[in-house]
Structure formats: C-alpha cells, structure tokens
Amino acid sequence: MPQIATFAYLVNPNNPNRSIELRAAETAAHSLGMEMLVISAGSESEIESAFATMDQHRAGALLVASDTFFFARRDQLSSLSARHRIPAIYYLREFAQAGGLITYGNSVPDMYRQVGIYTARILKGEKPSDLPVLQPTKFELVINLKTAKALGLTIPSGVMAIADEVIE
C-alpha cells in the first residue's frame, strides 16, 4: 500500500516492553518516510476508541504491537479492522486465522522446540546459566486473502510467493 502516508501503531500502555517496540516502530516509520500515529489501548473500551481515533486521523493502516492483551482480543481487533476498513498487520498467525489481514512474527512451534532442546540439555546436566540466550530464528508470514478481498486489496504476487501460509 504505497499510497499510505500515515499508519497507526496500537500499543498497550501496561506492557513493560512497549518502549523498546515503540522505538523500533518509530525507526521503521522514519526510514520509510511515513508518519506514525501512536495509539494506546489497555482495555477493551480503549480498543474501540482507538479505531475511532484512527478514523479521525485518517490512518491508512494499522500495526498492532506484540502483547498478550491484544492476542486475547484478536477477534475484536480483526472485527474492528474489518468494520473500519483498516488494513492491519499483526505479530502471530492466530490473528490471520481470526480474520486479520497479514501476520509476520516468530514461529511459536519453533520457540517451543527450542524450549524442549534447552530442557533436555538441562536435564542432562548442563547449567542453565551456561546456556546462551536465544533469539527467534524462524519467522512466518501469513496472509488472509478473504480479508484482503473484503478490503478491496490486491496482494502482490511476489508477496504471495514468499508467504508461509495463505488463508483463502
């Protein structure tokens, strides 16, 4: 969506990691020459209000910060995005399965596999303090074509080709 000049970034003010993610989003917005509208929502009613604010500011898209609060409300977020016709990108595949447009984030099954490997190493006698901290290495791109069509969007074939999953 190259025509978008402003996107909304939805963040939970109660999340202790919000500052780190916010800085990364601001850096990305700046490098793309886009304006980022930061909207905080820490309750269900604030999520509703957030979409009214996006409408007011004519945000062309939405980026939802990673947060368990938002994950638990993925159906509400997907529904509001559809109702307000705001294309949104989320951080886990379950959002696309709930009707969200696109998700890009780490693979939860891969993270659990790593936990299993570390657990086995510890059970075999390695000290947890000797094990390195791991960063996610597998990321997934999931596209919901049904949502794209409802929003009147065409996903470029190059993006479709690199998607890990396309929901039709």
Side-chain angles (χ1 to χ4, degrees):
M1 301 185 66
Q3 75 279 10
I4 292 176
T6 301
F7 72 94
Y9 180 66
L10 186 63
V11 62
N12 179 355
N14 305 312
N15 185 328
N17 295 320
R18 73 184 174 283
S19 297
I20 296 167
E21 288 191 18
L22 181 58
R23 277 194 303 273
E26 286 171 338
T27 300
H30 179 71
S31 71
L32 294 169
M34 297 181 76
E35 183 179 334
M36 184 174 77
L37 172 66
V38 178
I39 302 174
S40 295
S43 70
E44 286 188 32
S45 63
E46 288 176 341
I47 290 174
E48 295 274 348
S49 299
F51 279 86
T53 302
M54 288 178 229
D55 286 344
Q56 254 182 338
H57 287 49
R58 292 185 171 84
L62 168 64
L63 172 62
V64 178
S66 62
D67 190 284
T68 55
F69 170 73
F70 295 141
F71 183 78
R73 286 150 188 87
R74 62 192 176 277
D75 291 327
Q76 178 188 18
L77 287 163
S78 297
S79 174
L80 286 166
S81 293
R83 186 175 347 136
H84 290 265
R85 302 194 51 76
I86 296 177
I89 186 166
Y90 306 90
Y91 63 97
L92 288 175
R93 75 172 34 252
E94 288 83 0
F95 284 91
Q97 292 167 334
L101 177 61
I102 294 177
T103 65
Y104 182 73
N106 54 306
S107 167
V108 174
D110 188 62
M111 289 184 350
Y112 283 127
R113 184 182 62 76
Q114 289 294 337
V115 168
I117 291 169
Y118 264 43
T119 301
R121 289 175 68 177
I122 293 166
L123 291 173
K124 289 178 182 176
E126 288 189 57
K127 293 180 184 177
S129 60
D130 291 341
L131 298 174
V133 174
L134 295 178
Q135 295 291 324
T137 56
K138 183 176 180 190
F139 295 85
E140 299 174 315
L141 173 64
V142 181
I143 300 168
N144 188 320
L145 275 185
K146 182 179 175 184
T147 302
K149 288 176 187 172
L151 291 170
L153 300 174
T154 301
I155 306 296
S157 58
V159 175
M160 295 286 288
I162 62 171
D164 295 286
E165 182 180 350
V166 176
I167 298 171
E168 297 186 51

